[in-house]
Amino acid sequence: MIEKIERLRTEYSNASGSVTDLKQLEELRLKFLSRNGALQQLLEEMKSVPKEDKPLVGKELNILKKYIQDNFTSLKESLESQFASTASYLDLSLPGRQIEFGSKHLLTQTLDEIKKIFKGFGFSVADGPELESDFNNFTALNFPDDHPARDMQDTFFVNKNFVMRTHTSPVQVRLMQKQVPPIRSIMPGKVYRSEAISARSYCLFHQVEGLYVDKNVTFAELKGTLVSFARQFYATDLKYRFRPSFFPFTEPSAEMDITCYICQGNGCRVCKGSGWLEILGCGMVDPNVLRNVGYDPEQVSGYAFGMGIERTAMLKYGINDIRILFDNDIRFLRQF
Ligand code: PHE
């Protein structure tokens, strides 16, 4: 009998050691602990144990019973808590969470497209600082001392000699100061103007400037380049016109208009009934500017142009309020 008790102990201990889930636990209970289980059978055999052996056998049987019951209870508790905790975290039937992908901001997309077109014409991309000297932003670009753009009303002065650049044209000055012609670059970046914020103007916006300086650069080349650009960027069949204009750093200066592609030139809200959209400013680099950076205007000439990236995106995509480009409202940004 003692032997049987030992055998059952070993048998139970092996069986319980390999239990890893609740189903196997139930099998273990049926085999050892149920009413017809191995333990109960052994307890019943007590009846046939000779009287004098009963105390010893009974004692051993009780030890075995307690061992099996205690071990079973703790095994049950540990398995139940393990499965309960995984169940609350891991529901394999739940639908997955959707991953949100970001995308390029409309202004970045617009600039990328502009860059791509000009790179195709052989222009490189140059950069300059947003905090500029008054000299690079104004003086070198032929702005007279009393020019209205120098007024605090239009310009954020950081101190007497430094401003937040009001246009990307100072990058022209920087490029020409450190390179010898030929120069053929576009210069994108942020610019700042002390203007009241409205649907049409913002205190911060982006421009892209272009500069080509070499021997014998002509206005015809300027026109050819800008017309090719507009045809690639806006519409292949557009009509255009160059209107005389004024910038201190170019002479002659012009503004370029294209036919309104919304109304095909018939007049609508976007072109304010004129049939034309102004897309950029341009001109031949003023000889004074060439002299200011140490070039000889008898030897080299150049053209420059500049456009607002916000304005360009607004024209192309029919957006009527510049502020929406800075709001970061996902519902707007998702449309592009
Ligand atoms: N810098 C001018 C502006 O801010 C644009 C421009 C650039 C005009 C280059 C002519 C040539 O309005």
Side-chain angles (χ1 to χ4, degrees):
M1 189 62 186
I2 295 289
E3 251 171 56
K4 279 190 178 169
I5 294 172
E6 281 313 309
R7 215 179 305 133
L8 187 60
R9 186 197 305 278
T10 325
E11 218 182 301
Y12 174 83
S13 131
N14 288 342
S16 74
S18 59
V19 169
T20 53
D21 62 30
L22 293 170
K23 192 168 159 259
Q24 291 171 356
L25 185 77
E26 179 58 9
E27 282 164 11
L28 187 74
R29 190 189 69 80
L30 287 174
K31 189 164 173 203
F32 293 94
L33 281 154
S34 64
R35 271 211 287 148
N36 301 320
L39 182 63
Q40 193 55 35
Q41 274 173 22
L42 209 57
L43 288 171
E44 266 155 39
E45 284 183 31
M46 256 309 265
K47 289 183 206 142
S48 49
V49 171
K51 214 173 166 195
E52 63 276 18
D53 294 341
K54 270 195 172 144
L56 180 65
V57 175
K59 195 176 158 214
E60 287 302 316
L61 258 182
N62 271 336
I63 292 173
L64 175 67
K65 188 178 162 191
K66 189 164 176 350
Y67 161 71
I68 291 182
Q69 279 174 345
D70 287 356
N71 179 283
F72 184 85
T73 315
S74 70
L75 189 61
K76 187 172 173 216
E77 277 167 9
S78 95
L79 282 176
E80 276 173 355
S81 73
Q82 183 186 331
F83 280 95
S85 61
T86 18
S88 65
Y89 287 110
L90 190 71
D91 178 350
L92 294 174
S93 66
L94 277 178
R97 262 186 221 135
Q98 214 170 347
I99 299 170
E100 297 270 354
F101 288 102
S103 62
K104 284 188 180 173
H105 192 279
L106 179 60
L107 291 178
T108 312
Q109 289 180 35
T110 308
L111 177 61
D112 283 351
E113 212 177 325
I114 297 172
K115 278 188 193 162
K116 197 171 141 216
I117 297 173
F118 280 104
K119 278 185 182 170
F121 298 158
F123 282 73
S124 61
V125 180
D127 199 10
E130 290 164 30
L131 176 64
E132 259 301 1
S133 63
D134 176 275
F135 179 83
N136 285 347
N137 196 79
F138 294 126
T139 312
L141 289 163
N142 205 31
F143 280 79
D145 281 342
D146 56 359
H147 192 283
R150 292 192 170 203
D151 196 321
M152 299 273 273
Q153 298 273 305
D154 298 305
T155 305
F156 289 111
F157 278 87
V158 174
N159 60 31
K160 212 168 126 277
N161 297 319
F162 284 91
V163 302
M164 296 311 290
R165 67 177 177 195
T166 58
H167 51 175
T168 41
S169 305
V171 190
Q172 284 185 35
V173 178
R174 289 176 173 269
L175 271 188
M176 290 192 284
Q177 278 168 340
K178 58 170 207 262
Q179 283 180 35
V180 289
I183 293 176
R184 200 200 289 256
S185 288
I186 56 165
M187 300 147 259
K190 288 193 182 75
V191 303
Y192 299 82
R193 286 190 197 172
S194 178
E195 278 177 15
I197 293 171
S198 71
R200 315 212 106 240
S201 61
Y202 205 72
C203 51
L204 153 81
F205 59 101
H206 299 75
Q207 283 188 337
V208 55
E209 187 95 0
L211 174 71
Y212 176 36
V213 184
D214 203 351
K215 290 196 173 82
N216 304 318
V217 176
T218 63
F219 199 90
E221 281 173 273
L222 166 65
K223 279 170 82 175
T225 307
L226 293 178
V227 171
S228 306
F229 161 74
R231 291 208 160 129
Q232 285 189 44
F233 186 82
Y234 288 103
T236 42
D237 53 353
L238 56 76
K239 290 205 195 75
Y240 60 87
R241 70 180 183 191
F242 285 81
R243 267 181 300 108
S245 183
F246 174 80
F247 300 103
F249 39 92
T250 47
E251 182 59 36
S253 304
E255 266 158 334
M256 181 180 177
D257 296 342
I258 57 172
T259 36
C260 178
Y261 48 85
I262 297 190
C263 62
Q264 317 307 332
N266 296 323
C268 68
R269 259 183 45 209
V270 175
C271 60
K272 297 203 209 84
S274 72
W276 294 98
L277 297 171
E278 180 206 315
I279 59 163
L280 51 81
C282 59
M284 300 306 291
V285 182
D286 194 291
N288 283 340
V289 175
L290 296 173
R291 257 180 240 115
N292 287 343
V293 296
Y295 289 176
D296 179 357
E298 300 297 322
Q299 299 292 317
V300 290
S301 56
Y303 66 68
F305 56 87
M307 65 190 106
I309 301 174
E310 280 77 1
R311 183 175 164 74
T312 306
M314 288 166 77
L315 287 176
K316 183 155 179 175
Y317 298 101
I319 297 161
N320 53 18
D321 192 325
I322 191 171
R323 291 168 292 195
I324 203 167
L325 292 166
F326 294 93
D327 283 348
N328 280 336
D329 185 331
I330 298 252
R331 291 167 303 177
F332 167 73
L333 297 175
R334 270 210 189 111
Q335 297 173 42
F336 303 100

